[in-house]
Amino acid sequence: MVGLIDCNNFFVSCERIFNPRLRTVPVVVLSNNDGCIVALSNEAKALGLRRGNPYFQVKELCERSNVAVLSGNHRLYGDISNRVMTTVAAITGSVKVYSIDECFIDFNIWPDAEVVAAGREIVRRIRRDVGVPTSLGIATTKTLAKIASRFAKKYSAYRCVCAIDNEYRRRRALELTEIGDVWGIGRRLVKRLAPYGITHAVHLADRSREDVEKILNITGVRTWQELNGCSCIDIDTIDNGPDTPLQKQMCCSRSFATDIAEYGKLESAIGLFATIISRHLRERGAAAAGLSVFIQTNMHRPDLPQYSASAYRPLPEPANDTMAIAEAATEALRAVYRKGYGYKRAGIHISELCSAQHAQHSLFGDPADRERRRRLMQAVDAINASSLSNDSIHIASYMPVESHARCEKRSQLFTTRIDDIIKVNFQRNGL
């Protein structure tokens, strides 16, 4: 048996931990630059608000309905996510993180008769120790566990834990699940399946393997197998670490809160992107053979001069060194920057990735210098990981993301910044 822990309305739940007044009102969390809604509470959903709504379109409704509107506080959410995963790992011994608010658990360590009770204890401990409400789905496959977690979240009678542990419950769950809600079935596949009368999960599960192979690809066949109770995705393969197959490309970009005209500010933004993308490369055990930098003016302001451009720069040898990436990115930025424009968006794109361990080094490179730089990056990552911030040590041209993004409604960094720790005032004996 496998379980899927899903944190309920995660971003909103993180905010409610430190602000109890938010627990009884509708809450929405906005994206970068306070552009659109990315998370919302059940109370906000009841008002007709939806994920993806541009905030300027629903601002009047939010004000009229006393909706609490917050800017995304992703450092806080990341830290709370780590606490949730640590709590689960302390109970189960291991956990496979799937996303910031989801993780898989191997339930084979408990007898079948104790699975639901163990699941309720996990949910209770997370709520007690971290403060985040969660839902837990338990089944024989990960796809069925995802379906079970939806039922646990939707129906209060399950008391946050739903187990699909027999054939009747499996069939009934598939009958009640629309095909678009099945893990691995996206919008395109929904449209492809509709002409075949496949509108619910049970319709796909009841098809023969031959039919599924004709309609869908190998991923669709695996989904079909999982819906029928045959686990074909090993829980140990769900990993976000260096052993995961390399991505084909990587990008880091931002839309700025206000247009940037000065080269120095644009260079600091590129320094930020270089820092972020280099860290991700090292986390993935990858290296970049080259990179592209792109800049773009505000296309939504046709009254202003428009300009966009990109430039590619190869690296002397594949690297994930922040300084090497930043140097190449700055050189590319100089090639495309033009005075007289206000730039709304910029970024770094890497399309040539290889394994850092098997990278082909330059014949003229200095192995000793290469090893020093590797140890330096290792030390920087270790210090930043052990600190309360990912940018305790950074390159000089780096400027924090908060300097480029609009986040007027962001809450405090309650768990990662010493100045933001909650202060409790109390009185005793009237003093």
Side-chain angles (χ1 to χ4, degrees):
M1 301 289 280
V2 61
L4 175 73
I5 283 281
D6 186 359
C7 300
N8 302 340
N9 304 323
F10 182 60
F11 291 177
V12 173
S13 296
C14 291
E15 299 286 356
R16 284 175 165 173
I17 294 173
F18 303 98
N19 190 347
R21 286 189 292 270
L22 297 178
R23 297 176 186 175
T24 57
V25 300
V27 182
V28 299
V29 177
L30 303 179
S31 63
N32 290 333
N33 291 322
D34 295 345
C36 61
I37 296 175
V38 295
L40 62 170
S41 66
N42 292 333
E43 296 85 355
K45 294 176 184 177
L47 295 173
L49 297 171
R50 294 292 180 266
R51 185 180 290 108
N53 287 153
Y55 178 57
F56 75 91
Q57 292 182 356
V58 297
K59 182 177 181 179
E60 184 179 346
L61 171 61
C62 292
E63 292 175 348
R64 187 171 63 249
S65 303
N66 295 320
V67 177
V69 180
L70 300 167
S71 302
N73 190 344
H74 297 285
R75 286 191 185 179
L76 174 66
Y77 308 151
D79 185 66
I80 297 300
S81 174
N82 289 336
R83 296 180 185 217
V84 171
M85 304 310 168
T86 300
T87 300
V88 175
I91 301 171
T92 64
S94 65
V95 59
K96 292 296 178 181
V97 179
Y98 177 64
S99 66
I100 191 171
D101 62 345
E102 293 178 293
C103 66
F104 285 100
I105 309 166
D106 186 355
F107 266 86
N108 290 321
I109 61 177
W110 288 285
D112 290 347
E114 299 177 10
V115 163
V116 173
R120 290 211 169 96
E121 175 61 14
I122 293 172
V123 169
R124 187 191 70 82
R125 286 275 298 276
I126 295 173
R127 186 63 182 265
R128 184 197 71 181
D129 296 352
V130 185
V132 173
T134 57
S135 300
L136 173 59
I138 306 170
T140 54
T141 72
K142 283 159 287 302
T143 303
L144 289 175
K146 290 274 283 186
I147 292 174
S149 72
R150 290 176 60 87
F151 281 90
K153 182 181 296 187
K154 187 175 181 179
Y155 300 107
S156 58
Y158 284 112
R159 293 164 51 201
C160 301
V161 179
C162 174
I164 300 177
D165 52 5
N166 58 45
E167 180 60 17
Y168 170 78
R169 290 177 179 172
R170 184 188 71 86
R171 291 286 304 179
R172 186 58 179 158
L174 298 186
E175 290 171 356
L176 295 173
T177 302
E178 294 184 4
I179 192 65
D181 293 331
V182 175
W183 187 32
I185 303 294
R187 294 180 183 177
R188 292 181 181 178
L189 291 184
V190 170
K191 293 180 180 179
R192 187 187 303 177
L193 293 170
Y196 297 92
I198 301 175
T199 60
H200 286 73
V202 69
H203 300 147
L204 178 61
D206 286 347
R207 287 274 180 161
S208 67
R209 184 187 180 102
E210 291 74 18
D211 286 346
V212 175
E213 289 177 343
K214 292 177 183 177
I215 301 171
L216 301 175
N217 54 21
I218 185 62
T219 303
V221 174
R222 289 173 181 166
T223 298
W224 171 81
Q225 289 178 292
E226 293 244 330
L227 290 176
N228 283 292
C230 177
S231 179
C232 57
I233 304 175
D234 186 357
I235 193 169
D236 291 329
T237 65
I238 302 173
D239 194 355
N240 296 318
D243 294 332
T244 306
L246 289 175
Q247 297 172 234
K248 294 182 179 180
Q249 56 186 350
M250 193 174 289
C251 181
C252 182
S253 64
R254 292 286 190 280
S255 292
F256 308 125
T258 58
D259 294 355
I260 297 178
E262 299 88 346
Y263 175 81
K265 291 184 178 180
L266 205 58
E267 184 183 30
S268 74
I270 294 298
L272 165 68
F273 306 149
T275 300
I276 294 174
I277 210 164
S278 300
R279 184 173 67 244
H280 289 333
L281 284 169
R282 292 192 293 272
E283 289 172 350
R284 305 295 296 180
L291 58 84
S292 297
V293 168
F294 62 88
I295 54 176
Q296 181 180 6
T297 54
N298 192 341
M299 67 177 68
H300 301 294
R301 291 291 306 274
D303 56 311
L304 298 176
Q306 297 294 311
Y307 172 73
S308 64
S310 66
Y312 174 82
R313 288 295 181 272
L315 294 170
E317 60 183 34
N320 53 25
D321 182 321
T322 300
M323 292 179 287
I325 298 290
E327 183 179 358
T330 301
E331 183 182 336
L333 176 63
R334 290 196 194 101
V336 295
Y337 175 77
R338 298 290 183 273
K339 289 184 179 180
Y341 296 95
Y343 297 98
K344 183 65 175 179
R345 185 174 179 83
I348 297 176
H349 180 257
I350 296 175
S351 59
E352 301 174 75
L353 296 182
C354 64
S355 169
Q357 186 177 1
H358 302 104
Q360 182 67 47
H361 296 300
S362 170
L363 180 64
F364 304 102
D366 182 355
D369 181 63
R370 190 181 301 126
E371 177 60 19
R372 282 195 298 269
R373 297 285 281 267
R374 186 194 67 80
R375 293 202 307 268
L376 173 60
M377 291 297 102
Q378 191 176 43
V380 168
D381 290 341
I383 292 172
N384 287 338
S386 63
S387 67
L388 296 179
S389 172
N390 283 329
D391 56 3
S392 295
I393 297 181
H394 52 77
I395 58 176
S397 62
Y398 170 99
M399 185 178 288
V401 67
E402 291 83 354
S403 302
H404 303 294
R406 179 185 293 114
C407 45
E408 299 170 351
K409 305 175 186 296
R410 196 185 67 185
S411 57
Q412 296 171 269
L413 298 172
F414 299 104
T415 63
T416 57
R417 181 180 291 167
I418 194 70
D419 293 336
D420 287 350
I421 290 178
I422 290 179
K423 298 177 178 64
V424 179
N425 297 318
F426 71 95
Q427 292 182 341
R428 184 175 62 179
N429 297 330
L431 299 177

